[in-house]
Amino acid sequence: MRDAMEDIVGAGAVAGSIAGLAQGAYQPDRVVAAPAGRQRAARVAECGSLGGGPGQRPPVVVPYETMRRSFDSGAPKSPNPLEAWRSVTTRCQEEFGASARNQDIIADPAGAVLGGGGFIWIALKGMNREPVGCIALHRHKDDSETTWELGELSVLVDSRRQGVGKQLVDMLLRQYQEAAGTGEPLWLRVPSAFEASSPFFERMGFEGDTASDTDGGGLRMVYRGARAPQ
């Protein structure tokens, strides 16, 4: 049975099937020091795409940096990642009457997200590689701890109910497993207006965190799934 998450964007995503990472397509986009408590450096920002089976042409999920490199090199059908990011996030916010929690994230994702050690992915659809979704993994670090946040999960209306949101979250979880140190939690905030989306995140391995309050209300959820760093 489908739940309300499949019709919610901006604070959530759509559900659908996931296929495996394309074999032999991994390339690192950044070299990152080994996370705390782990010996090896992390693989970073897989640019293999999560897609469908034979005969299908599903959306592909591509790291922001990979898109930027292709765009800067003038590769054919390479969207400008900054324009793609702004377009998807802004259109979803306008649809639901929401506003960005931090305009810098929308205006300058390279500085606000990547500059802090985070990651961004954009879902591209069809032969023309049209941007239809996005997600960000934020890294928050202070003197006492490092945490990771799932944010800006957005899918355009014409691409919902096709598994795009689930593809985006799955790619983010793969990266979190690689880049986070032992004991560094991953969390997200579901605004009050979108709490019906919580079953989607529960299926992805998140649990409600009743011990924590969220700024501006809503539900805080923490990842407890199999991809938590060990």
Side-chain angles (χ1 to χ4, degrees):
M1 180 177 180
R2 293 180 181 274
D3 59 49
M5 191 58 199
E6 299 181 8
D7 292 317
I8 295 175
V9 185
V14 295
S17 63
I18 291 183
L21 186 67
Q23 294 297 316
Y26 171 73
Q27 296 177 25
D29 274 339
R30 273 187 267 160
V31 176
V32 173
R38 297 168 65 181
Q39 296 300 313
R40 62 177 178 80
R43 297 188 307 167
V44 176
E46 295 172 343
C47 48
S49 300
L50 290 172
Q56 297 179 335
R57 191 178 294 278
V60 294
V61 177
V62 184
Y64 186 97
E65 292 156 303
T66 301
M67 287 183 62
R68 182 167 59 188
R69 187 168 59 245
S70 296
F71 176 77
D72 289 345
S73 70
K77 297 181 180 179
S78 297
N80 182 328
L82 178 57
E83 292 181 359
W85 168 261
R86 289 176 178 172
S87 174
V88 173
T89 54
T90 301
R91 288 168 65 182
C92 289
Q93 289 169 5
E94 290 175 348
E95 178 184 357
F96 290 99
S99 58
R101 55 180 177 160
N102 182 339
Q103 288 297 334
D104 288 343
I105 294 173
I106 307 303
D108 181 22
V113 181
L114 303 182
F119 306 88
I120 295 171
W121 295 266
I122 296 175
L124 304 175
K125 183 177 181 179
M127 293 294 293
N128 293 325
R129 297 171 64 83
E130 175 188 1
V132 296
C134 62
I135 194 170
L137 176 60
H138 300 263
R139 180 174 181 265
H140 302 295
K141 183 176 177 59
D142 58 28
D143 293 338
S144 60
E145 66 175 348
T146 297
T147 68
W148 300 79
E149 178 188 3
L150 185 160
E152 290 72 49
L153 177 51
S154 308
V155 179
L156 298 183
V157 62
D158 291 343
S159 295
R160 298 175 198 167
R161 296 182 179 270
Q162 299 175 33
V164 179
K166 199 170 183 182
Q167 286 179 271
L168 287 161
V169 174
D170 192 70
M171 188 68 88
L172 179 146
L173 291 176
R174 290 171 181 269
Q175 187 61 76
Y176 167 63
Q177 185 179 30
E178 289 291 338
T182 303
E184 296 177 358
L186 169 65
W187 59 277
L188 61 89
R189 184 177 71 86
V190 182
S192 299
F194 298 100
E195 287 189 10
S197 67
S198 59
F200 167 82
F201 292 110
E202 289 172 355
R203 291 197 299 273
M204 300 300 293
F206 288 85
E207 297 178 2
D209 185 7
T210 57
S212 299
D213 295 326
T214 58
D215 296 334
L219 174 67
R220 188 178 192 269
M221 304 186 75
V222 177
Y223 183 69
R224 310 288 191 196
R227 291 198 175 117
Q230 300 298 323

